[in-house]
Amino acid sequence: MENPFGKITTLEKVMELFYNGMTLMFGGFGGVGSPPTLIDGILEKGIRDITLIGNDTGFPHIGIGKLVSQERAVKVIASHIGSNPIAGKLMHEGRLEVEFSPQGILAERIRAGGVGLPAILTDIGMDNELVSKNKPHFLLNGKDYLIETALTAEISIVYAKKADPYGNLIYDKSARNTNPLVAMAGDITIAEVEEIVSLGSLAPDEIITPGVFVDHIIPSKGVNWKWAWE
């Protein structure tokens, strides 16, 4: 495969970008759509003390849940952790900080980060202490709102069905989920893809993530979450 933009690379090469104490944003919903090759690479490199940002904590052995289960994360910003009992156990023991954000608000905070907005206003979660605690309020047209800060990360990792050498991405069914938003919000975005196709072979109207958001592309070694579709 030609590599005119230098974005197609190897797992070993992108692993040089990861480090202890980093902020990592990930695509996926219950593990579906998370990039397992990259997650396994992070585990194998021994990266620790990560702040994770994503929809949920996966399952103990699927998706980002692998990092949580092996106590590689110190903080998680997510909409729920219920599918991973290890995350709940660590939270209650004080070994994992969890910031809960309603799912739609979480997605919008990520989108805001991707387009350069500093924050959003919302009345969602104002009556919930888990959501509203320590967050500033703003009065607009006589109505009170929470200020929810935008979310960005030092590295975003996503999974896509196809990529061309520029990094234009298309996704497969529900595995799309939060990946397009996450791809926008990283200082560096790495796409793990099922198939790399030649430049010009993707129809413009089927591209979901423009390649301008993608810095590196690696081929996937396969996924462990397609059971969710079976």
Side-chain angles (χ1 to χ4, degrees):
M1 175 64 64
E2 294 184 0
N3 191 17
F5 305 100
K7 294 186 178 184
I8 303 172
T9 185
T10 63
L11 175 65
E12 291 72 24
K13 192 68 176 176
V14 296
M15 278 301 111
E16 297 173 5
L17 301 170
F18 294 82
Y19 54 92
N20 293 341
M22 67 178 299
T23 302
L24 178 68
M25 190 179 291
F26 59 94
F29 188 108
V32 175
S34 293
T37 301
L38 285 167
I39 292 169
D40 286 346
I42 294 168
L43 282 168
E44 291 169 10
K45 189 175 179 180
I47 302 299
R48 312 191 65 85
D49 302 326
I50 307 167
T51 294
L52 293 173
I53 304 172
N55 183 71
D56 53 74
T57 51
F59 292 86
H61 305 295
I62 294 174
I64 210 71
K66 287 184 172 182
L67 294 179
V68 175
S69 298
Q70 294 194 28
E71 298 190 51
R72 302 298 182 85
V74 293
K75 181 177 179 179
V76 173
I77 302 175
S79 68
H80 74 90
I81 61 172
S83 57
N84 189 343
I86 296 176
K89 180 176 183 290
L90 293 173
M91 180 185 72
H92 287 296
E93 291 175 352
R95 293 153 64 190
L96 177 67
E97 180 183 353
V98 179
E99 178 184 330
F100 289 105
S101 188
Q103 193 169 76
I105 300 304
L106 179 67
E108 186 66 6
R109 292 174 71 189
I110 294 171
R111 188 198 68 83
V115 299
L117 299 177
I120 63 169
L121 299 180
T122 179
D123 60 359
I124 302 299
M126 293 189 66
D127 57 349
N128 187 311
E129 186 180 358
L130 281 176
V131 174
S132 63
K133 186 178 181 181
N134 297 326
K135 291 180 180 175
H137 290 228
F138 186 83
L139 188 66
L140 178 66
N141 296 328
K143 186 173 180 179
D144 199 23
Y145 294 91
L146 286 177
I147 298 176
E148 292 276 11
T149 56
L151 294 171
T152 58
E154 289 155 326
I155 295 182
S156 284
I157 56 173
V158 300
Y159 183 88
K161 183 175 178 61
K162 292 182 182 180
D164 66 16
Y166 185 56
N168 294 311
L169 305 178
I170 64 172
Y171 303 92
D172 189 10
K173 307 182 198 57
S174 62
R176 172 175 168 175
N177 51 64
T178 61
N179 277 294
L181 300 177
V182 168
M184 297 168 60
D187 295 339
I188 297 172
T189 294
I190 305 170
E192 175 183 333
V193 300
E194 183 178 332
E195 182 182 2
I196 302 174
V197 300
S198 60
L199 198 65
S201 64
L202 298 178
D205 60 352
E206 70 177 336
I207 293 169
I208 304 300
T209 295
V212 68
F213 291 113
V214 178
D215 299 286
H216 304 286
I217 307 159
I218 69 159
S220 178
K221 296 180 181 179
V223 302
N224 59 0
W225 39 254
K226 287 195 174 180
W227 56 268
W229 292 337
E230 295 172 350

